[in-house]
Amino acid sequence: MAQDATVLTDLSDGMLLVTLNRPDKLNAFNEDMHLALRAAIQRAHDEDEIRCVLITGAGRAFCAGQDLGDRDPRKMDGPPDLGETLATFYNPTLRLIRSLEKPIVVAVNGVAAGAGANIALACDIVLAARSARFIQAFSKIGLTPDAGGSFMLTRLLGEARAKGLALTGEPLTAEQAADWGLIWKAVDDAALMDEATALAHRFASGPTRGFGLTKQSIQAASTNGFDAQLDHERDTQRMAGRTADYAEGVSAFLDKRAPVFRGQ
Ligand code: LHQ
């Protein structure tokens, strides 16, 4: 593992730990970090051995969004095409996160701003240190929520709170984020990594295919109507019922023993 890499990865017992690693810039995204994060998530798609991903940030921040030093308008010939930046760098990674058929846990260890906040919110289980803050920083620089933020905020919080956060750019505490249902849990700072790691390891030894189908099903419910979602449940349960882990889960229950899931 190269210590100067913009993203550090470490695979242990089926859990891929992914650490955003530009602490001097509060882990803001430059092009290299974009590509390295994408490669890490792609690896989780490709390798059966990986059964859960845990993402966190090095140093005192989780991620401050786009590196604005790379976007200095005074050093550009004309107005930038930020749509192109999203299409090239952010959106493919967000699609990989949402389509990964394995749980992604995020340990938000400090401030999460702009696209940094929204990438965390696109993952499956968000734990945040009590000292962490979520900031929709876009309005402060004349931009609009991206990296899936307009979707996630509105789905998770409703229009009033989504607009409040996006238009004011005011920081939201981890506690408030949990109370509002934006994240799973606020955790004492000192306990964050232990708790997140224990949860990620638990997922890494769970019924991986069932987890993947659960993730798909809940995401589909954001856009499906009731009838379409019943059909979706029928199809995903059919697939889950054909997995070896389902057979193991029921057998273990009937045998009154702990199941041993193999992710198959
Ligand atoms: C940074 C950054 C940063 C560079 C802190 N960049 N250096 C998509 C499409 C294309 C373009 C535009 O963007 C997007 C999506 C987006 O993400 S837009 C939103 C971009 N992010 C922001 O606007 C957040 C900017 N940062 C902040 O507001 C503050 O730094 C926060 C509130 C995150 C933290 O505040 P503090 O704890 O007071 O830390 P600090 O401001 O002192 O920052 C520490 C260092 O990190 C500092 O560098 P220095 O050399 O002075 O120590 C900052 O310049 C650097 N840094 N964020 N995004």
Side-chain angles (χ1 to χ4, degrees):
M1 181 164 63
Q3 290 304 317
D4 60 348
T6 53
V7 170
L8 307 175
T9 55
D10 183 42
L11 177 59
S12 71
D13 298 328
M15 181 196 87
L16 184 69
L17 174 64
V18 176
T19 306
L20 307 178
N21 189 39
R22 300 185 72 222
D24 295 348
K25 300 282 182 191
L26 305 189
N27 304 319
F29 276 98
N30 63 4
E31 291 191 3
D32 191 75
M33 199 173 97
H34 275 296
L35 297 178
L37 176 62
R38 191 187 309 168
I41 308 292
Q42 183 63 56
R43 186 179 162 200
H45 273 261
D46 295 342
E47 294 182 18
D48 290 342
E49 195 191 338
I50 298 172
R51 293 169 63 188
C52 180
V53 176
L54 170 59
I55 304 178
T56 193
R60 72 177 175 90
F62 174 70
C63 175
Q66 176 65 37
D67 188 324
L68 297 176
D70 287 353
R71 289 286 184 279
D72 187 343
R74 296 162 301 186
K75 296 180 185 159
M76 293 178 179
D77 289 339
D81 181 354
L82 300 187
E84 183 61 28
T85 304
L86 294 178
T88 306
F89 293 105
Y90 286 96
N91 292 354
T93 301
L94 284 148
R95 290 192 172 103
L96 281 179
I97 287 171
R98 299 291 285 176
S99 63
L100 181 65
E101 292 180 354
K102 301 166 184 179
I104 306 182
V105 178
V106 186
V108 178
N109 52 301
V111 68
N118 293 342
I119 283 175
L121 297 178
C123 297
D124 303 312
I125 300 274
V126 186
L127 303 179
R130 278 186 217 289
S131 67
R133 299 286 181 271
F134 293 84
I135 308 177
Q136 294 297 315
F138 308 91
S139 60
K140 301 206 182 250
I141 54 171
L143 292 183
T144 174
D146 62 19
S150 60
F151 183 94
M152 297 305 303
L153 291 172
T154 311
R155 290 293 195 285
L156 292 169
L157 300 179
E159 259 195 50
R161 285 172 172 165
K163 284 179 180 165
L165 291 174
L167 293 172
T168 67
E170 284 174 12
L172 187 71
T173 64
E175 200 80 54
Q176 187 77 81
D179 286 350
W180 281 5
L182 185 65
I183 65 169
W184 173 236
K185 212 173 178 187
V187 177
D188 289 341
D189 287 32
L192 178 70
M193 280 318 286
D194 282 351
E195 192 161 328
T197 305
L199 187 61
H201 275 306
R202 189 172 115 197
F203 289 149
S205 57
T208 309
R209 295 190 55 207
F211 285 155
L213 292 164
T214 300
K215 174 170 169 172
Q216 275 181 9
S217 184
I218 289 174
Q219 289 177 186
S222 288
T223 48
N224 274 342
F226 187 66
D227 281 330
Q229 190 63 18
L230 286 181
D231 289 348
H232 194 277
E233 288 181 358
R234 175 201 60 208
D235 295 342
T236 50
Q237 201 69 299
R238 178 175 286 140
M239 288 187 263
R242 289 175 177 157
T243 64
D245 283 339
Y246 165 69
E248 166 62 7
V250 176
S251 304
F253 175 78
L254 296 175
D255 294 348
K256 299 190 185 304
R257 61 176 174 81
V260 180
F261 294 119
R262 303 197 185 284
Q264 291 157 3

